[in-house]
mmCIF file of all heavy atoms in Angstrom:
data_model
loop_
_atom_site.group_PDB
_atom_site.id
_atom_site.type_symbol
_atom_site.label_atom_id
_atom_site.label_comp_id
_atom_site.label_asym_id
_atom_site.label_seq_id
_atom_site.Cartn_x
_atom_site.Cartn_y
_atom_site.Cartn_z
ATOM 1 N N HIS A 1 109.063 32.839 82.757
ATOM 2 C CA HIS A 1 110.048 33.072 81.713
ATOM 3 C C HIS A 1 109.387 34.087 80.799
ATOM 4 O O HIS A 1 108.160 34.153 80.698
ATOM 5 C CB HIS A 1 110.388 31.778 80.962
ATOM 6 C CG HIS A 1 111.493 31.928 79.956
ATOM 7 N ND1 HIS A 1 111.304 32.558 78.734
ATOM 8 C CD2 HIS A 1 112.801 31.545 79.974
ATOM 9 C CE1 HIS A 1 112.439 32.550 78.054
ATOM 10 N NE2 HIS A 1 113.372 31.950 78.784
ATOM 11 N N VAL A 2 110.166 34.878 80.112
ATOM 12 C CA VAL A 2 109.592 35.953 79.307
ATOM 13 C C VAL A 2 108.739 35.421 78.151
ATOM 14 O O VAL A 2 107.767 36.068 77.740
ATOM 15 C CB VAL A 2 110.694 36.887 78.785
ATOM 16 C CG1 VAL A 2 111.563 36.219 77.736
ATOM 17 C CG2 VAL A 2 110.094 38.193 78.263
ATOM 18 N N TRP A 3 109.053 34.244 77.609
ATOM 19 C CA TRP A 3 108.314 33.771 76.441
ATOM 20 C C TRP A 3 106.845 33.494 76.736
ATOM 21 O O TRP A 3 105.985 33.870 75.942
ATOM 22 C CB TRP A 3 109.005 32.548 75.834
ATOM 23 C CG TRP A 3 110.362 32.867 75.274
ATOM 24 C CD1 TRP A 3 110.830 34.113 74.908
ATOM 25 C CD2 TRP A 3 111.428 31.969 75.023
ATOM 26 N NE1 TRP A 3 112.115 34.034 74.454
ATOM 27 C CE2 TRP A 3 112.519 32.731 74.506
ATOM 28 C CE3 TRP A 3 111.586 30.605 75.170
ATOM 29 C CZ2 TRP A 3 113.731 32.146 74.140
ATOM 30 C CZ3 TRP A 3 112.794 30.017 74.815
ATOM 31 C CH2 TRP A 3 113.849 30.787 74.305
ATOM 32 N N PRO A 4 106.490 32.843 77.856
ATOM 33 C CA PRO A 4 105.064 32.730 78.167
ATOM 34 C C PRO A 4 104.385 34.088 78.344
ATOM 35 O O PRO A 4 103.220 34.257 77.955
ATOM 36 C CB PRO A 4 105.051 31.928 79.477
ATOM 37 C CG PRO A 4 106.321 31.161 79.466
ATOM 38 C CD PRO A 4 107.316 32.049 78.791
ATOM 39 N N ALA A 5 105.091 35.049 78.923
ATOM 40 C CA ALA A 5 104.504 36.386 79.086
ATOM 41 C C ALA A 5 104.297 37.040 77.722
ATOM 42 O O ALA A 5 103.237 37.625 77.451
ATOM 43 C CB ALA A 5 105.403 37.246 79.969
ATOM 44 N N GLN A 6 105.300 36.962 76.853
ATOM 45 C CA GLN A 6 105.162 37.521 75.509
ATOM 46 C C GLN A 6 104.038 36.819 74.742
ATOM 47 O O GLN A 6 103.218 37.471 74.073
ATOM 48 C CB GLN A 6 106.477 37.392 74.745
ATOM 49 C CG GLN A 6 107.590 38.279 75.264
ATOM 50 C CD GLN A 6 108.939 37.976 74.617
ATOM 51 O OE1 GLN A 6 109.110 36.946 73.955
ATOM 52 N NE2 GLN A 6 109.899 38.871 74.805
ATOM 53 N N ALA A 7 104.000 35.489 74.846
ATOM 54 C CA ALA A 7 102.958 34.729 74.148
ATOM 55 C C ALA A 7 101.574 35.130 74.641
ATOM 56 O O ALA A 7 100.636 35.277 73.840
ATOM 57 C CB ALA A 7 103.180 33.231 74.357
ATOM 58 N N ALA A 8 101.434 35.315 75.945
ATOM 59 C CA ALA A 8 100.137 35.697 76.514
ATOM 60 C C ALA A 8 99.695 37.063 76.004
ATOM 61 O O ALA A 8 98.511 37.284 75.712
ATOM 62 C CB ALA A 8 100.228 35.694 78.037
ATOM 63 N N ILE A 9 100.633 37.989 75.886
ATOM 64 C CA ILE A 9 100.308 39.317 75.359
ATOM 65 C C ILE A 9 99.856 39.212 73.901
ATOM 66 O O ILE A 9 98.848 39.805 73.496
ATOM 67 C CB ILE A 9 101.514 40.269 75.493
ATOM 68 C CG1 ILE A 9 101.828 40.560 76.966
ATOM 69 C CG2 ILE A 9 101.255 41.563 74.731
ATOM 70 C CD1 ILE A 9 100.750 41.304 77.706
ATOM 71 N N HIS A 10 100.593 38.452 73.092
ATOM 72 C CA HIS A 10 100.213 38.271 71.690
ATOM 73 C C HIS A 10 98.855 37.578 71.564
ATOM 74 O O HIS A 10 98.126 37.818 70.590
ATOM 75 C CB HIS A 10 101.279 37.467 70.951
ATOM 76 C CG HIS A 10 102.523 38.240 70.647
ATOM 77 N ND1 HIS A 10 102.537 39.337 69.817
ATOM 78 C CD2 HIS A 10 103.805 38.093 71.076
ATOM 79 C CE1 HIS A 10 103.760 39.827 69.734
ATOM 80 N NE2 HIS A 10 104.560 39.090 70.493
ATOM 81 N N ALA A 11 98.519 36.729 72.545
ATOM 82 C CA ALA A 11 97.241 36.009 72.528
ATOM 83 C C ALA A 11 96.109 36.821 73.150
ATOM 84 O O ALA A 11 94.995 36.314 73.303
ATOM 85 C CB ALA A 11 97.393 34.677 73.257
ATOM 86 N N LYS A 12 96.421 38.062 73.545
ATOM 87 C CA LYS A 12 95.429 38.981 74.106
ATOM 88 C C LYS A 12 94.887 38.538 75.470
ATOM 89 O O LYS A 12 93.727 38.807 75.804
ATOM 90 C CB LYS A 12 94.281 39.207 73.118
ATOM 91 C CG LYS A 12 94.745 39.889 71.822
ATOM 92 C CD LYS A 12 93.594 40.119 70.857
ATOM 93 C CE LYS A 12 94.036 41.002 69.695
ATOM 94 N NZ LYS A 12 95.177 40.480 68.948
ATOM 95 N N MET A 13 95.726 37.864 76.241
ATOM 96 C CA MET A 13 95.392 37.646 77.644
ATOM 97 C C MET A 13 95.376 39.005 78.335
ATOM 98 O O MET A 13 96.223 39.862 78.061
ATOM 99 C CB MET A 13 96.410 36.711 78.300
ATOM 100 C CG MET A 13 96.445 35.306 77.713
ATOM 101 S SD MET A 13 94.955 34.336 78.001
ATOM 102 C CE MET A 13 95.114 33.988 79.769
ATOM 103 N N LYS A 14 94.459 39.211 79.255
ATOM 104 C CA LYS A 14 94.208 40.563 79.763
ATOM 105 C C LYS A 14 95.075 40.965 80.952
ATOM 106 O O LYS A 14 95.383 42.148 81.130
ATOM 107 C CB LYS A 14 92.726 40.699 80.153
ATOM 108 C CG LYS A 14 91.787 40.574 78.976
ATOM 109 C CD LYS A 14 90.332 40.511 79.401
ATOM 110 C CE LYS A 14 89.856 41.843 79.973
ATOM 111 N NZ LYS A 14 88.393 41.793 80.275
ATOM 112 N N TYR A 15 95.473 39.996 81.785
ATOM 113 C CA TYR A 15 96.177 40.327 83.030
ATOM 114 C C TYR A 15 97.464 39.514 83.109
ATOM 115 O O TYR A 15 97.473 38.373 83.586
ATOM 116 C CB TYR A 15 95.282 40.054 84.246
ATOM 117 C CG TYR A 15 93.875 40.581 84.057
ATOM 118 C CD1 TYR A 15 92.781 39.718 83.952
ATOM 119 C CD2 TYR A 15 93.635 41.949 83.947
ATOM 120 C CE1 TYR A 15 91.498 40.199 83.765
ATOM 121 C CE2 TYR A 15 92.349 42.445 83.754
ATOM 122 C CZ TYR A 15 91.297 41.562 83.656
ATOM 123 O OH TYR A 15 90.019 42.058 83.457
ATOM 124 N N VAL A 16 98.544 40.101 82.621
ATOM 125 C CA VAL A 16 99.809 39.372 82.479
ATOM 126 C C VAL A 16 100.877 39.994 83.370
ATOM 127 O O VAL A 16 101.169 41.197 83.266
ATOM 128 C CB VAL A 16 100.294 39.375 81.017
ATOM 129 C CG1 VAL A 16 101.568 38.540 80.883
ATOM 130 C CG2 VAL A 16 99.215 38.849 80.085
ATOM 131 N N VAL A 17 101.450 39.170 84.242
ATOM 132 C CA VAL A 17 102.594 39.563 85.059
ATOM 133 C C VAL A 17 103.804 38.798 84.547
ATOM 134 O O VAL A 17 103.743 37.588 84.333
ATOM 135 C CB VAL A 17 102.344 39.255 86.552
ATOM 136 C CG1 VAL A 17 103.622 39.467 87.373
ATOM 137 C CG2 VAL A 17 101.212 40.120 87.104
ATOM 138 N N ASN A 18 104.897 39.508 84.343
ATOM 139 C CA ASN A 18 106.139 38.917 83.839
ATOM 140 C C ASN A 18 107.176 38.945 84.953
ATOM 141 O O ASN A 18 107.708 40.000 85.289
ATOM 142 C CB ASN A 18 106.625 39.709 82.618
ATOM 143 C CG ASN A 18 107.972 39.233 82.096
ATOM 144 O OD1 ASN A 18 108.315 38.063 82.220
ATOM 145 N ND2 ASN A 18 108.731 40.144 81.514
ATOM 146 N N ALA A 19 107.444 37.781 85.567
ATOM 147 C CA ALA A 19 108.363 37.692 86.704
ATOM 148 C C ALA A 19 109.796 37.579 86.203
ATOM 149 O O ALA A 19 110.227 36.516 85.746
ATOM 150 C CB ALA A 19 108.006 36.496 87.587
ATOM 151 N N ILE A 20 110.540 38.672 86.294
ATOM 152 C CA ILE A 20 111.925 38.699 85.814
ATOM 153 C C ILE A 20 112.821 37.970 86.817
ATOM 154 O O ILE A 20 112.801 38.281 88.005
ATOM 155 C CB ILE A 20 112.395 40.150 85.609
ATOM 156 C CG1 ILE A 20 111.612 40.781 84.453
ATOM 157 C CG2 ILE A 20 113.885 40.212 85.347
ATOM 158 C CD1 ILE A 20 111.950 42.236 84.188
ATOM 159 N N PRO A 21 113.636 37.001 86.361
ATOM 160 C CA PRO A 21 114.401 36.178 87.294
ATOM 161 C C PRO A 21 115.736 36.750 87.736
ATOM 162 O O PRO A 21 116.193 36.472 88.842
ATOM 163 C CB PRO A 21 114.613 34.878 86.516
ATOM 164 C CG PRO A 21 114.632 35.313 85.081
ATOM 165 C CD PRO A 21 113.669 36.475 84.992
ATOM 166 N N ASP A 22 116.403 37.531 86.881
ATOM 167 C CA ASP A 22 117.807 37.865 87.133
ATOM 168 C C ASP A 22 117.986 39.225 87.790
ATOM 169 O O ASP A 22 117.101 40.077 87.764
ATOM 170 C CB ASP A 22 118.600 37.841 85.818
ATOM 171 C CG ASP A 22 118.721 36.438 85.247
ATOM 172 O OD1 ASP A 22 118.948 35.506 86.028
ATOM 173 O OD2 ASP A 22 118.580 36.277 84.025
ATOM 174 N N ASN A 23 119.185 39.426 88.333
ATOM 175 C CA ASN A 23 119.556 40.688 88.969
ATOM 176 C C ASN A 23 120.401 41.551 88.040
ATOM 177 O O ASN A 23 120.954 42.556 88.452
ATOM 178 C CB ASN A 23 120.328 40.408 90.274
ATOM 179 C CG ASN A 23 120.454 41.639 91.151
ATOM 180 O OD1 ASN A 23 119.589 42.515 91.136
ATOM 181 N ND2 ASN A 23 121.526 41.735 91.927
ATOM 182 N N TRP A 24 120.528 41.135 86.784
ATOM 183 C CA TRP A 24 121.281 41.884 85.784
ATOM 184 C C TRP A 24 120.297 42.291 84.687
ATOM 185 O O TRP A 24 119.759 41.433 83.986
ATOM 186 C CB TRP A 24 122.396 41.019 85.201
ATOM 187 C CG TRP A 24 123.144 41.593 84.031
ATOM 188 C CD1 TRP A 24 123.184 41.080 82.759
ATOM 189 C CD2 TRP A 24 123.968 42.764 83.999
ATOM 190 N NE1 TRP A 24 123.972 41.850 81.947
ATOM 191 C CE2 TRP A 24 124.475 42.910 82.687
ATOM 192 C CE3 TRP A 24 124.325 43.712 84.959
ATOM 193 C CZ2 TRP A 24 125.314 43.936 82.302
ATOM 194 C CZ3 TRP A 24 125.166 44.749 84.584
ATOM 195 C CH2 TRP A 24 125.653 44.856 83.279
ATOM 196 N N PRO A 25 120.004 43.578 84.518
ATOM 197 C CA PRO A 25 118.980 44.002 83.560
ATOM 198 C C PRO A 25 119.327 43.603 82.121
ATOM 199 O O PRO A 25 120.393 43.952 81.611
ATOM 200 C CB PRO A 25 118.959 45.529 83.720
ATOM 201 C CG PRO A 25 119.490 45.774 85.095
ATOM 202 C CD PRO A 25 120.528 44.717 85.305
ATOM 203 N N MET A 26 118.396 42.888 81.483
ATOM 204 C CA MET A 26 118.576 42.445 80.101
ATOM 205 C C MET A 26 117.270 42.615 79.342
ATOM 206 O O MET A 26 116.190 42.255 79.851
ATOM 207 C CB MET A 26 119.004 40.970 80.051
ATOM 208 C CG MET A 26 120.362 40.694 80.669
ATOM 209 S SD MET A 26 120.928 38.990 80.370
ATOM 210 C CE MET A 26 119.837 38.063 81.450
ATOM 211 N N ALA A 27 117.347 43.114 78.124
ATOM 212 C CA ALA A 27 116.150 43.270 77.297
ATOM 213 C C ALA A 27 115.508 41.922 76.990
ATOM 214 O O ALA A 27 114.320 41.857 76.668
ATOM 215 C CB ALA A 27 116.498 44.001 76.002
ATOM 216 N N LEU A 28 116.292 40.855 77.075
ATOM 217 C CA LEU A 28 115.753 39.507 76.924
ATOM 218 C C LEU A 28 114.475 39.321 77.729
ATOM 219 O O LEU A 28 113.533 38.644 77.302
ATOM 220 C CB LEU A 28 116.811 38.494 77.385
ATOM 221 C CG LEU A 28 116.353 37.072 77.734
ATOM 222 C CD1 LEU A 28 115.971 36.338 76.466
ATOM 223 C CD2 LEU A 28 117.431 36.307 78.480
ATOM 224 N N HIS A 29 114.400 39.929 78.925
ATOM 225 C CA HIS A 29 113.293 39.671 79.843
ATOM 226 C C HIS A 29 112.104 40.617 79.677
ATOM 227 O O HIS A 29 111.175 40.576 80.486
ATOM 228 C CB HIS A 29 113.800 39.751 81.284
ATOM 229 C CG HIS A 29 114.761 38.659 81.651
ATOM 230 N ND1 HIS A 29 114.465 37.324 81.511
ATOM 231 C CD2 HIS A 29 116.029 38.706 82.150
ATOM 232 C CE1 HIS A 29 115.499 36.595 81.902
ATOM 233 N NE2 HIS A 29 116.458 37.402 82.280
#
């Protein structure tokens, strides 16, 4: 989900992959 990815970036995790779930492009993700 995007929130764990965003949280990891804010926490300065170094290697973050954000798995987008939907087939409809949304800035939410």
Side-chain angles (χ1 to χ4, degrees):
H1 185 285
V2 70
W3 295 340
Q6 291 171 347
I9 293 295
H10 285 296
K12 296 181 170 57
M13 297 293 288
K14 295 172 69 175
Y15 315 113
V16 183
V17 171
N18 175 30
I20 293 178
D22 292 319
N23 194 30
W24 172 243
M26 295 188 288
L28 161 71
H29 293 305

